[in-house]
Amino acid sequence: MAPVGRRGGGRPTLEEVAARAGVGRGTVSRVINGSPRVSERTRSLVQQAVADLGYVPDRAARALAGHRADTVALVVPEAETRLFAEPYFSGILRGVSAGLADHDMQLLLTLIRTSKERRRFADYLAAHRVDGVLLVSVHGDDPLPDLLGRMAIPTVLNGRRTAGETVPYVDSDNTGGAQSALEHLIGRGRRQVATITGPPDMYVAHCRLDGYRQAVRAAGHPEDDALVARGDFTEEGGRRALRELLARRPALDAVFCASDVMAAGARRELRTAGRRIPDDVALVGFDDSAIARHMDPPLTSVRQPIEEMGRAMAGLLMELITGGGEAGGLEVRDAAGAVGSVGSAGAVGAVGRTGSAGPTGAAGAAGPEGPTGQVAPVGRHLVLPTELVRRESS
């Protein structure tokens, strides 16, 4: 059906759509860009006017005007070897892609490993070639979040640098997940439970180590630093750390690894040392990746909702880009079963921890305060619950 109700030739303009719908130009722009700050009645009027006039948004014109580039950058400050070896990153990528699918946005995957690459990316941002940045695998000394803040680029982190992170982020309950892993191992009678941590410059590693230590103390077990070995979230790092643990504490009977990838390395070293899993040493990982399911024996692991985290990051970033009050409708349930969404009151800082009792776990709801003890902006900080998945390795 041909467009109707328009005089003259040439392609229809934003102003003509606004006049036909009886609204302002800015309102039309918000509807076209997917902002939720428009009533359903107004949205319907604008959409009808767009259909009647056959209006097609001009991406190039918007970019030249400095309004939108219709592109989001997913930045991973890691070597490509880790990007392709660790299933976590592919899960985040799938979630982000799904979250951006309804927003007509292009996704730019960027690896930043050196200061030169960081400067090049800053120049790219200064040219207004992206509308926002999703930053995965955050290290405490990474200057990129602060650089993005100075440039006023909408940014969402996957994880956080400190407990008082001010940049919007989506994270999982790393401390609670580690606690559930230790409670499971101690509950099965394991007495010398070791842990392989992540890198010391990553807050996620500190959280998982804190969860380990809290559970050890709660069980009345003595804290033994010789049962703690540093890893780096790689398979070889897990193998090297397990070798150190066996040298220090040959009688250890369980190991909690801060990632499935490190657990795979620990498993190889245990077998080299002639230790049977789980008869001699129980093994638990973190992530519940495909690695966990395909190990022999299958690995007990703390599941974090990786793809859901990616979708939430994309939704929150779109909220920041469009200036809307909601971010994609991601549902988060608290312990009472109440449902909120990213960007809606009631889902702010929604923190849960799950035990090993059931398939879905029990998410506990936090109050409206962010990690610094101050009220967080609505929907800007989100922590999703974890769940312990029991398998034959423990």
Side-chain angles (χ1 to χ4, degrees):
M1 180 176 177
V4 296
R6 179 174 182 268
R7 297 177 181 177
R11 61 186 297 165
T13 65
L14 202 67
E15 288 76 10
E16 288 176 307
V17 173
R20 184 173 184 84
V23 299
R25 186 181 188 278
T27 299
V28 175
S29 179
R30 282 193 290 275
V31 171
I32 291 172
N33 290 325
S35 171
R37 295 194 302 166
V38 181
S39 70
E40 284 305 313
R41 180 177 180 278
T42 300
R43 188 184 308 279
S44 297
L45 289 172
V46 172
Q47 290 172 341
Q48 186 61 53
V50 167
D52 289 346
L53 296 175
Y55 175 77
V56 178
D58 189 337
R59 286 191 176 210
R62 273 193 299 181
L64 288 172
H67 296 157
R68 288 272 293 274
D70 291 329
T71 300
V72 166
L74 178 64
V75 179
V76 182
E78 301 284 356
E80 56 268 272
T81 51
R82 187 176 171 210
L83 174 68
F84 295 113
E86 193 166 330
Y88 180 86
F89 294 110
S90 60
I92 289 290
L93 181 58
R94 285 194 300 272
V96 168
S97 298
L100 294 177
D102 294 333
H103 295 282
D104 199 25
M105 299 288 283
Q106 299 180 78
L107 183 61
L108 174 69
L109 177 61
T110 304
L111 301 183
I112 295 181
R113 296 145 295 190
T114 65
S115 57
K116 180 179 180 181
E117 290 175 338
R118 191 181 305 113
R119 288 193 299 270
R120 186 184 306 133
F121 184 61
D123 292 341
Y124 192 84
L125 295 175
H128 305 289
R129 293 177 176 173
V130 302
D131 298 310
V133 172
L134 299 167
L135 182 58
V136 181
S137 191
V138 184
H139 293 257
D141 59 352
D142 191 340
L144 191 55
D146 294 330
L147 172 63
L148 295 168
R150 290 193 298 271
M151 298 179 72
I153 303 291
T155 302
V156 175
L157 306 182
N158 173 224
R160 40 192 156 154
R161 294 169 292 175
T162 66
E165 181 63 73
T166 56
V167 178
Y169 64 78
V170 175
D171 204 352
S172 66
D173 183 14
N174 294 290
T175 302
Q179 283 179 298
S180 67
L182 265 293
E183 289 166 1
H184 166 67
L185 289 168
I186 293 172
R188 294 183 67 84
R190 305 292 172 161
R191 304 298 298 174
Q192 293 200 44
V193 184
T195 185
I196 299 176
T197 75
D201 66 340
M202 297 186 74
Y203 182 65
V204 60
H206 289 278
C207 289
R208 294 176 189 178
L209 180 57
D210 285 346
Y212 164 86
R213 286 177 167 156
Q214 289 174 26
V216 168
R217 288 195 296 267
H221 289 201
E223 291 189 63
D224 184 355
D225 287 342
L227 288 171
V228 178
R230 180 179 298 174
D232 57 4
F233 288 144
T234 69
E235 183 174 351
E236 184 53 38
R239 186 167 192 172
R240 183 172 56 250
L242 197 283
R243 193 180 304 129
E244 294 175 7
L245 289 170
L246 287 177
R248 296 179 204 156
R249 291 292 182 268
L252 66 83
D253 58 6
V255 182
F256 164 61
C257 300
S259 78
D260 290 347
V261 174
M262 291 196 299
R267 168 189 167 277
R268 290 176 57 198
E269 191 62 28
L270 284 169
R271 291 202 163 176
T272 298
R275 305 297 177 91
R276 296 169 300 166
I277 302 171
D279 305 70
D280 301 323
V281 180
L283 189 62
V284 175
F286 203 112
D287 288 335
D288 190 37
S289 63
I291 290 174
R293 297 188 293 276
H294 296 147
M295 279 178 58
D296 179 23
L299 180 69
T300 295
S301 184
V302 179
R303 175 182 295 163
Q304 55 177 339
I306 299 174
E307 290 193 34
E308 187 176 358
M309 290 167 69
R311 287 193 298 270
M313 290 171 63
L316 178 51
L317 185 63
M318 289 308 302
E319 174 193 341
L320 297 174
I321 290 171
T322 63
E326 297 183 10
L330 174 75
E331 290 189 348
V332 181
R333 295 181 182 270
D334 64 18
V339 179
S341 64
V342 182
S344 64
V348 180
V351 180
R353 67 158 298 206
T354 60
S356 55
T360 58
E369 293 189 345
T372 60
Q374 300 177 349
V375 176
V378 173
R380 297 302 196 266
H381 296 160
L382 182 67
V383 180
L384 300 181
T386 54
E387 170 191 356
L388 182 68
V389 181
R390 298 182 183 185
R391 296 192 180 93
E392 288 88 336
S393 71
S394 62

